[in-house]
Amino acid sequence: MRKKTYLKLAEYQTEQSRRHLGEVQGIYREMRGYKHDFHHHLQTLKGQLEAGETERALAYIARLDQQLMDVDTLLRTGNVSLDALFSAKIAQARSQDIAVTIHVSVPDKLLLTDLELSIVVGNLLDNAIEACGAARGEKFIRVYMKMKGKMLYFSMINSAGSKKDKKGSLFSSHKEGFHGFGLRRVAAILTEHGGWYKYNSEDGAFTSEFLVPALE
């Protein structure tokens, strides 16, 4: 790939990821705001019930319930950026009837920047959601992400369609335009940090794995 083309693709992907990071951080702030307001909601309901305004209280509860459904439960990983990112992706996956299982525990401060972390994990999750769309039968995503000493370890298996063709150490994507560039951006960031990555495609499943220095 020509250097000029690579830089354009990298710039596009970085800008896309920066916007995405802003979106998920907005979701995180919204969810924290909801928690902050919870005390006020309880006081309002208490007052309505003490005044005997049962129907009014029930209507208030119904509105709160709808708001809660619109804001998915925040996943607590130990890392604020990953909390927001995983919460957004879980909501997206579940809206497509994909079963998601996540076991993640990561420090808040890592050698990878929030933007790099968003690009790496966000692209892998996007590819998993895309692959589930082509799967026959059960649709699932299972993620494991923990520290191994000073190294950050990530492993994910997701349902998929037929086995993908491998190009070098990567696989093709069904996405159009620049969107299929995600795995290359992931590989570039992990390599830059002295990390290791591996992808494997089989009929019905796709696995992603990486290990990268993350602590001083």
Side-chain angles (χ1 to χ4, degrees), residues 202-216:
E202 300 293 341
D203 285 336
F206 191 91
T207 58
S208 308
E209 189 177 21
F210 71 73
L211 186 69
V212 64
L215 296 176
E216 295 284 0

Side-chain angles (χ1 to χ4, degrees), residues 11-191:
E11 181 181 357
Y12 174 89
Q13 189 70 18
T14 299
E15 178 58 30
Q16 184 184 50
S17 297
R18 185 178 290 113
R19 288 196 303 269
H20 174 70
L21 182 59
E23 291 171 356
V24 295
Q25 286 176 338
I27 293 173
Y28 178 79
R29 288 192 295 270
E30 180 182 354
M31 295 173 77
R32 289 196 61 169
Y34 189 90
K35 180 180 178 181
H36 178 266
D37 291 339
F38 189 68
H39 175 73
H40 302 298
H41 294 314
L42 288 178
Q43 292 298 313
T44 299
L45 285 169
K46 183 174 180 290
Q48 290 172 344
L49 291 172
E50 286 177 344
E53 297 182 357
T54 306
E55 292 299 322
R56 189 173 177 180
L58 288 173
Y60 193 92
I61 291 172
R63 290 195 298 272
L64 289 178
D65 185 53
Q66 184 58 51
Q67 288 182 21
L68 188 59
M69 290 178 64
D70 292 338
V71 182
D72 202 18
T73 302
L74 181 64
L75 183 72
R76 298 191 181 279
T77 67
N79 183 286
V80 172
S81 295
L82 286 178
D83 287 348
L85 179 63
F86 275 117
S87 294
K89 294 303 180 182
I90 288 172
Q92 180 184 349
R94 287 177 177 168
S95 72
Q96 299 178 34
D97 296 323
I98 300 171
V100 183
T101 304
I102 293 183
H103 297 286
V104 179
S105 179
V106 180
D108 193 41
K109 302 297 182 182
L110 299 171
L111 294 178
L112 282 78
T113 67
D114 286 345
L115 180 58
E116 289 172 329
L117 201 59
S118 176
I119 292 173
V120 170
V121 179
N123 271 304
L124 293 177
L125 289 170
D126 282 342
N127 285 346
I129 292 171
E130 177 199 358
C132 285
R136 296 181 294 274
E138 180 189 7
K139 300 180 188 295
F140 65 87
I141 298 174
R142 298 168 189 154
V143 179
Y144 177 87
M145 192 174 187
K146 302 281 185 180
M147 296 300 300
K148 291 185 177 292
K150 296 184 177 181
M151 307 287 283
L152 177 62
Y153 176 71
F154 175 97
S155 175
M156 178 172 66
I157 181 169
N158 56 267
S159 55
S162 57
K163 183 176 180 178
K164 286 180 175 289
D165 295 328
K166 199 169 189 178
K167 297 182 178 180
S169 60
L170 303 176
F171 293 87
S172 60
S173 170
H174 295 302
K175 296 178 182 178
E176 299 295 332
F178 290 148
H179 295 288
F181 192 62
L183 291 182
R184 285 187 173 83
R185 289 291 292 129
V186 171
I189 291 171
L190 294 175
T191 300

